[in-house]
Amino acid sequence: MVFSKVGVIGAMKEEIEKFHAHLTDVKETVKAGVTFYEGIFHGQPIVLCRSGVGKVNAAVTTQVLVDTFGVQAILFTGVAGAVHPELSVGDIVISTDCLQHDMDVTALGFPRGTIPYEATSLFVADERLRHLASQVSHELFEGRVLEGRVLSGDQFIANRDTVTVLHSELQGACVEMEGAAVAQVCSMNGVPFVVIRSMSDKADGSAHVSFAEFTLLASEHSFRIVEGILRRLQEQ
């Protein structure tokens, strides 16, 4: 399948600003307080935007991309905290699926992460996009790529005990604040997606030191991967 238009989302300015330098024929539209940049990126039509931090911002932005711009696939890129013990700063996680770790209705008997009365709470990434992301990532960062579960919640995790729980109980590879919201909206609309995250910290209490220092490095890694995916989509 050829995607005539792809949505590219980052939560923060650092996560999308590198794309601007390569975007041509740009048209700006403001919707729901978010600026959307329609343009051509290495021959591929895309709509680029900064969602803002958190699940609500991510969900609103994703729905606008679908309804207003008619994107046929969505790539979410940016930084995350490592949860899997084998991950280090700068390593890459490609989403196999996404789950909201802060969805907690255990008091009513639901397992943690379960959205009550919904058909599913685990949102699976598109196989083709995941394969492309993995292929590009391994070529660029061999030995530093993990395919796994992206956990999302409206919390900045910086506690070793919490990290242990997120990995052991929810099988998380990394933790961030938007991916599962994007994934759920994509799933509801039948839009293929994949989340690409580069580790900016280990979510273990050292985040206040490492997050700021490594966000730019991690954002560069994420950009290079998404750039590679978009180039290959256009070639196909």
Side-chain angles (χ1 to χ4, degrees):
M1 177 183 178
V2 176
F3 300 125
S4 61
K5 191 182 293 183
V6 177
V8 178
I9 311 174
M12 301 185 298
K13 179 185 70 174
E14 294 87 349
E15 295 169 337
I16 69 163
E17 62 184 359
K18 289 186 178 295
F19 290 91
H20 286 284
H22 302 276
L23 202 59
T24 60
D25 302 325
V26 181
K27 176 185 176 183
E28 294 186 20
T29 303
V30 178
K31 189 84 171 178
V34 177
T35 303
F36 296 85
Y37 304 92
E38 292 179 89
I40 307 298
F41 185 86
H42 297 312
Q44 172 67 51
I46 71 168
V47 184
L48 174 70
C49 60
R50 180 181 68 83
S51 64
V53 174
K55 293 189 298 179
V56 174
N57 282 330
V60 169
T61 300
T62 304
Q63 193 64 55
V64 171
L65 282 171
V66 174
D67 287 344
T68 302
F69 298 97
V71 300
Q72 296 178 317
I74 289 181
L75 309 176
F76 195 102
T77 180
V79 303
V83 169
H84 195 289
E86 294 180 5
L87 288 169
S88 298
V89 170
D91 289 351
I92 307 299
V93 170
I94 307 299
S95 67
T96 53
D97 50 39
C98 300
L99 181 75
Q100 295 181 56
H101 70 81
D102 64 346
M103 177 60 69
D104 188 348
V105 197
T106 53
L108 298 182
F110 294 93
R112 182 177 175 182
T114 298
I115 305 170
Y117 317 118
E118 294 294 327
T120 185
S121 303
L122 192 62
F123 304 101
V124 179
D126 178 74
E127 185 176 353
R128 178 190 173 199
L129 292 176
R130 181 171 63 84
H131 176 73
L132 276 176
S134 179
Q135 190 176 51
V136 172
S137 299
H138 280 288
E139 289 177 4
L140 291 171
F141 306 105
E142 182 60 44
R144 304 190 67 184
V145 182
L146 178 69
E147 295 185 45
R149 179 165 299 162
V150 173
L151 300 178
S152 305
D154 288 326
Q155 304 164 0
F156 190 94
I157 304 299
N159 179 278
R160 286 184 176 85
D161 293 337
T162 302
V163 167
T164 299
V165 170
L166 291 178
H167 179 61
S168 62
E169 293 188 9
L170 298 180
Q171 294 77 56
C174 68
V175 63
E176 36 88 297
M177 301 176 72
E178 298 86 22
V182 172
Q184 182 174 353
V185 174
C186 285
S187 178
M188 293 168 73
N189 286 277
V191 174
F193 78 91
V194 70
V195 177
I196 302 108
R197 292 292 195 177
S198 181
M199 303 303 101
S200 60
D201 62 88
K202 291 182 70 70
D204 62 358
S206 63
H208 64 287
V209 175
S210 61
F211 180 77
E213 182 179 353
F214 291 109
T215 290
L216 291 178
L217 170 66
S219 296
E220 170 69 21
H221 288 184
S222 294
F223 164 76
R224 291 179 63 192
I225 294 167
V226 172
E227 180 183 40
I229 295 169
L230 292 170
R231 283 182 182 274
R232 295 193 184 196
L233 286 175
Q234 182 60 26
E235 290 169 0
Q236 294 175 2

